[in-house]
């Protein structure tokens, strides 16, 4: 509930996309203590630290129910999915901590996130749909090290295309993500591993 975009934030997405992007960064950096989304995120991470396995299972079950049971074209359903993605992004360290992977991100990425990243959205698509795509970008960035080679390549190419998305928030998220993925690619090349398809950004 507290992690969902509020009506005023949906309005900000339309009227001041740069401001919405900066606000999201501030929430991630714990610089916006007055934001309900920040407070909800802080509470979630506290619970995750105390009861990691229990909270992780509850969060994954909720995310699955939202995806499978709610109408996918309904605005509230899309906002609920965006909130679930936000929660998984915030908790990514706990999801893969202590040598225990509580989320099989590789399989989930292929089944749910990649189709969202590959969808071409226009400016007249609902804000909720565009917000879900932007959050899919930031979530992929958070779990990028969990992707296998071909999945990394697919993520890189799909997100690179989103740098030209008509939605400015999505484009900004994609640009930041590509910068991060490119750094990972360089690190992999230096370690002798296969690197992703950097030609996608040309």
């Amino acid at each position: 509930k507290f992690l969902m975009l509020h009506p005023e934030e949906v309005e900000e997405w339309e009227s001041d996309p740069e401001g919405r992007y900066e606000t999201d960064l501030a929430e991630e950096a714990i610089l916006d203590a007055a934001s309900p989304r920040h407070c909800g995120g802080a509470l979630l991470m506290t619970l995750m630290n105390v009861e990691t396995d229990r909270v992780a299972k509850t969060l994954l079950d909720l995310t699955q129910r939202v995806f499978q049971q709610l109408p996918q074209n309904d605005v509230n359903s899309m906002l609920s999915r965006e909130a679930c993605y936000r929660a998984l992004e915030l908790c990514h360290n706990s999801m893969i901590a202590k040598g225990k992977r509580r989320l099989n991100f590789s399989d989930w990425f292929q089944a749910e996130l990649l189709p969202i990243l590959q969808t071409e959205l226009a400016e007249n698509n609902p804000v909720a749909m565009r917000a879900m795509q932007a959050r899919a970008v930031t979530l992929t960035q958070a779990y990028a090290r969990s992707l296998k080679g071909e999945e990394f390549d697919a993520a890189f190419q799909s997100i690179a295309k989103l740098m030209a998305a008509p939605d400015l928030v999505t484009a900004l998220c994609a640009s930041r993500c590509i910068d991060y993925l490119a750094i990972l690619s360089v690190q992999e090349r230096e370690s002798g591993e296969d690197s992703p398809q950097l030609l996608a950004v040309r």
Side-chain angles (χ1 to χ4, degrees), residues 104-113 146-148 151:
N104 187 334
F105 186 77
S106 177
D107 290 347
W108 188 56
F109 170 79
Q110 292 189 64
E112 184 168 345
L113 295 186
S146 298
L147 293 172
K148 299 173 183 176
E151 297 160 356

Side-chain angles (χ1 to χ4, degrees), residues 9-10 19 21 41 48 111 113 116 123 152-154 156 167 172 186-187 196-197:
E9 293 172 320
V10 173
Y21 175 76
M48 181 67 84
L113 295 186
I116 297 174
E123 286 183 290
F152 196 119
D153 292 350
F156 194 96
D167 182 82
L172 290 170
V186 172
Q187 292 173 343
Q197 300 293 331

Side-chain angles (χ1 to χ4, degrees), residues 48-49 52-53 56 91-103 143 146:
M48 181 67 84
N49 287 333
T52 304
D53 289 334
C91 297
H92 76 277
N93 286 331
S94 296
M95 285 292 183
I96 59 176
K98 301 176 183 178
K100 184 176 181 181
R101 293 191 175 272
R102 298 169 178 85
L103 168 65
Y143 288 88
S146 298

